[in-house]
Amino acid sequence: MGIFKKRYQVKPNTVGFLYRDNKFEQKLAAGYHEVWDLKNRTELFLLPQTSKLLTVVNQEVLTKDNVALRFSFNVIYRIVDGQKFLDKFALDRDMYAIIQEAEQRIYNIVQIYLRNRIAEMDSETANEKRNELTDFKTEEMEKEVSEFGITIEQAQLRDLTFPKSIQDLFAKHLEAKIRAKSELENARTAVATARALKNASELMKDDENLKFFQIMETITKIAEKGKHTFMIGDINQLTKK
């Protein structure tokens, strides 16, 4: 390497942005690069090309009916325009600090959208529709972060936790619904059974053959008990005779 050259390394899955005299000069792909730097006035900023996970936990919000609940969420983002990204942040520090500030801005934007969405619901609706909140990425959210050269690939709710007293109420409400459903099914079965018995009774009333089989079944049951003297018939007709 020449005495007036500087060697830079761009690691895999990153892209380098070379600045000379504090002005952007060119992008560098992964590998080793030698650049002329007579006065030692070049600097390289490395940005990741892969997606990054941002996890936010233990946030609190009030629902529409003033129930305080806690939530956590994940955001997967990626820097898609490195030059735009670097133009939005002060470059007087290391890249780790710059990335941290960027993630703080992402966190603020995403949290506001999720908070507002939950705050529009009452507690019961939020509980019933928590699965619908799982993926809460919006076009408005994406538009805001795109100002930093970033895209949000995924924004997902991790968990939604209600106060213990509210959880107990939800459990009791669910138990009552299950019990009511069970009682309704039992009532429907009882009605169906009663209807079937009534239909059978109406059928037997005018069918001599069914009457005969009923008499034979009665005789069999009496005989099984060892009673061999019995009377079967219409009492009114016997009295008339």
Side-chain angles (χ1 to χ4, degrees):
M1 185 172 66
I3 190 171
F4 299 122
K5 287 185 178 181
K6 184 182 288 188
R7 173 182 262 191
Y8 289 109
Q9 178 187 7
V10 180
K11 294 186 177 182
N13 299 320
T14 64
V15 59
F17 291 81
L18 181 67
Y19 281 69
R20 186 183 300 274
D21 295 328
N22 294 323
K23 295 179 182 179
F24 173 70
E25 183 173 278
Q26 63 176 314
K27 289 172 64 174
L28 301 178
Y32 287 92
H33 303 268
E34 294 181 359
V35 299
W36 287 99
D37 192 1
L38 180 63
K39 298 180 180 180
N40 193 28
R41 290 183 177 178
T42 60
E43 187 174 4
L44 186 68
F45 295 94
L46 297 176
L47 292 178
Q49 291 185 304
T50 54
S51 302
K52 296 194 68 177
L53 172 65
L54 173 62
T55 299
V56 181
V57 299
N58 203 30
Q59 303 299 297
E60 187 171 297
V61 65
L62 285 177
T63 60
K64 189 175 180 180
D65 52 350
N66 294 320
V67 173
L69 53 83
R70 294 186 176 276
F71 65 94
S72 302
F73 61 89
N74 288 331
V75 175
I76 298 178
Y77 75 92
R78 185 164 53 89
I79 299 173
V80 292
D81 189 336
Q83 187 59 64
K84 192 174 185 180
F85 178 88
L86 293 173
D87 287 344
K88 292 295 182 179
F89 299 94
L91 303 182
D92 56 349
R93 53 210 160 135
D94 61 38
M95 187 51 62
Y96 178 76
I98 296 172
I99 294 290
Q100 275 195 319
E101 182 182 343
E103 291 188 344
Q104 182 64 40
R105 295 195 185 191
I106 296 171
Y107 152 69
N108 289 337
I109 291 170
V110 173
Q111 184 193 47
I112 288 173
Y113 278 96
L114 183 54
R115 278 180 176 274
N116 290 341
R117 187 167 177 184
I118 295 175
E120 292 174 353
M121 302 178 174
D122 56 42
S123 56
E124 186 171 1
T125 302
N127 185 54
E128 293 175 351
K129 296 185 176 181
R130 65 170 65 200
N131 289 336
E132 297 179 16
L133 292 171
T134 299
D135 188 357
F136 61 91
K137 175 183 172 182
T138 65
E139 292 183 3
E140 294 81 3
M141 185 191 303
E142 176 69 15
K143 184 178 179 180
E144 283 200 49
V145 300
S146 68
E147 296 296 320
F148 304 102
I150 293 171
T151 184
I152 291 180
E153 298 180 337
Q154 194 175 76
Q156 287 192 322
L157 186 71
R158 288 182 60 195
D159 53 65
L160 195 63
T161 306
F162 290 81
K164 184 63 169 59
S165 57
I166 301 299
Q167 293 181 37
D168 292 340
L169 289 176
F170 285 152
K172 290 178 182 178
H173 179 62
L174 178 60
E175 182 182 352
K177 287 176 66 175
I178 294 174
R179 185 182 296 111
K181 183 177 180 180
S182 176
E183 291 175 352
L184 178 61
E185 290 299 322
N186 291 338
R188 287 175 177 171
T189 300
V191 169
T193 301
R195 186 179 292 115
L197 291 174
K198 181 180 179 182
N199 292 339
S201 176
E202 293 295 329
L203 182 65
M204 291 177 63
K205 183 171 62 176
D206 300 321
D207 193 312
E208 294 298 328
N209 289 328
L210 287 175
K211 285 183 179 180
F212 172 75
F213 284 121
Q214 187 179 34
I215 292 172
M216 294 302 297
E217 182 181 4
T218 302
I219 293 173
T220 301
K221 289 181 179 180
I222 295 174
E224 288 176 352
K225 296 180 180 180
K227 299 177 181 180
H228 304 291
T229 302
F230 45 82
M231 181 180 295
I232 296 177
D234 190 328
I235 297 177
N236 292 330
Q237 291 182 359
L238 292 174
T239 303
K240 290 178 181 179
K241 291 180 181 181

